[in-house]
Amino acid sequence: MHNISIIKAVSILILLVFILLLIINQQGIQYWFNDFGKVSQSDLQVYFLDVGQASSTLVLLPNKYSILMDTGSGDSAENLVSELQFLLEQNDVQDIDLLILSHPDADHVGGTVMVMDAFQVNSVLRPKVYALGEEVTYNFPLSTTYTYRDAIEAIYAEPNCQVEYVANQVIVQSDKNFSATIEIFAAEKAEYGTDTNSFSPFITLSYASRTFLFTGDAPAARETELLNRLAKEGRRLSVDFLQVAHHGSKYSSYPNFLSAISPKYAFISAADSSHPSQTVLRRLKEANVQQTFVTKNDGTIGVGVQADGNFVIRLKKNFLDIPLLVILLSLIIFVLMKFIYVKKSPRFVDLRPKAGRR
Ligand SMILES: [Zn+2]
């Protein structure tokens, strides 16, 4: 009887501790158990954040310069902020140095208000698209959504934050130990009809002989635009890590584009039933992409690149599912306690008739 109480008490205690850990720090458990920490030990870190059917990507350069590309949707904003807090804390980073908003759609700017509230953001590159209520100076189109209006209001309300329009530019971050180059290929036309996706810039990030390409929701017409520009400048773009455009929609990532940039690994931020499209998954395979990751299945995906060009890709969710682990552990403890109870009780019942006969 004494033993059973101790086993019971210890089991319940272990379970409680696990549930408590789950509640207070699921991020941390996933992080350490899944070897995800390897990414944050890398010199360059890129995180394709799990924000559902939306998009948000965090880049941390070796000098801790931080870039956030898009802010996901309103639905995912709370999760985004807590994940960003965790990742920045791991790296002793306080501010977001540069926020790039690719285009006005709600699944890319929906978390902006909460991000601006939670962090000091030092600079923002915004689309050449006006929001409701903005003073019109240039011949930019207007997006009439309230989400975009709120996002634009939030970036201009941020203290000590420099806001500029996305334009072609090269940003070099370097010190005596490293050099990283970010190149922005802005949309070339001022108008793309009603298609706001077309305003998404292409952004390359090069470090230690590795190149990332970020695409926002850019459609095929913009892919052609980029290829034409590169051809005109006599340049070739070879991509190691591709953020697949428009959540894996078949109206982007055309075969000619993929074969021109020959990506080695592909990353798709998507969570609904029609994204990523099977067509795009097939095109990626046909373009000899070694592996395609999707946030829907893999959760947040981290890529860490070392100064010598070696890299690691780690998934936050795949290896260890904490809620499932708690359910399993509860079941084991339940069965264990049942087993101990059943085994002990017959002896207890047997004693009674014997005592009666005497
Ligand atoms: Zn989108």
Side-chain angles (χ1 to χ4, degrees), residues 255-279:
N256 68 323
F257 182 66
L258 293 179
S259 84
I261 62 169
S262 58
K264 294 190 181 71
Y265 295 90
F267 303 87
I268 304 177
S269 187
D272 71 11
S273 55
S274 52
H275 295 89
S277 87
Q278 292 304 316
T279 312

Side-chain angles (χ1 to χ4, degrees), residues 97-302:
D97 292 303
L98 172 63
L99 168 65
I100 303 172
L101 298 178
S102 68
H103 68 293
D105 289 4
D107 57 328
H108 294 255
V109 302
T112 307
V113 173
M114 278 193 78
V115 165
M116 305 305 281
D117 271 353
F119 304 97
Q120 167 60 38
V121 178
N122 297 326
S123 61
V124 180
L125 291 175
R126 58 160 290 188
K128 286 179 174 170
V129 177
Y130 283 122
L132 285 171
E134 270 196 284
E135 199 184 313
V136 172
T137 317
Y138 306 101
N139 187 26
F140 299 158
L142 173 74
S143 165
T144 56
T145 71
Y146 293 121
T147 311
Y148 185 56
R149 180 200 64 186
D150 294 349
I152 293 299
E153 276 178 6
I155 59 175
Y156 283 105
E158 179 82 354
N160 306 314
C161 177
Q162 191 183 351
V163 180
E164 282 172 23
Y165 289 105
V166 170
N168 291 332
Q169 62 174 303
V170 179
I171 302 166
V172 178
Q173 283 283 321
S174 63
D175 61 23
K176 59 183 192 314
N177 298 316
F178 88 101
S179 176
T181 307
I182 296 137
E183 181 162 9
I184 298 176
F185 301 84
E188 288 178 14
K189 296 185 204 163
E191 277 284 353
Y192 291 91
T194 53
D195 180 29
T196 46
N197 290 331
S198 289
F199 287 91
S200 305
F202 288 102
I203 301 170
T204 60
L205 161 64
S206 303
Y207 169 73
S209 76
R210 300 288 174 191
T211 301
F212 289 80
L213 175 64
F214 307 98
T215 56
D217 280 357
R222 289 288 321 291
E223 294 174 350
T224 307
E225 219 179 64
L226 177 65
L227 293 183
N228 288 343
R229 179 180 157 183
L230 291 171
K232 217 183 277 172
E233 294 172 1
R235 299 163 67 186
R236 243 192 71 82
L237 180 61
S238 180
V239 173
D240 296 281
F241 309 103
L242 170 69
Q243 182 244 315
V244 177
H246 202 184
H247 321 281
S249 147
K250 65 178 174 184
Y251 302 107
S252 303
S253 309
Y254 276 21
N256 68 323
F257 182 66
L258 293 179
S259 84
I261 62 169
S262 58
K264 294 190 181 71
Y265 295 90
F267 303 87
I268 304 177
S269 187
D272 71 11
S273 55
S274 52
H275 295 89
S277 87
Q278 292 304 316
T279 312
V280 165
L281 294 176
R282 202 184 57 236
R283 285 181 199 154
L284 290 168
K285 241 184 210 152
E286 284 164 3
N288 295 320
V289 168
Q290 289 175 27
Q291 210 172 342
T292 297
F293 300 91
V294 186
T295 56
K296 176 160 64 172
N297 311 319
D298 301 323
T300 290
I301 306 150

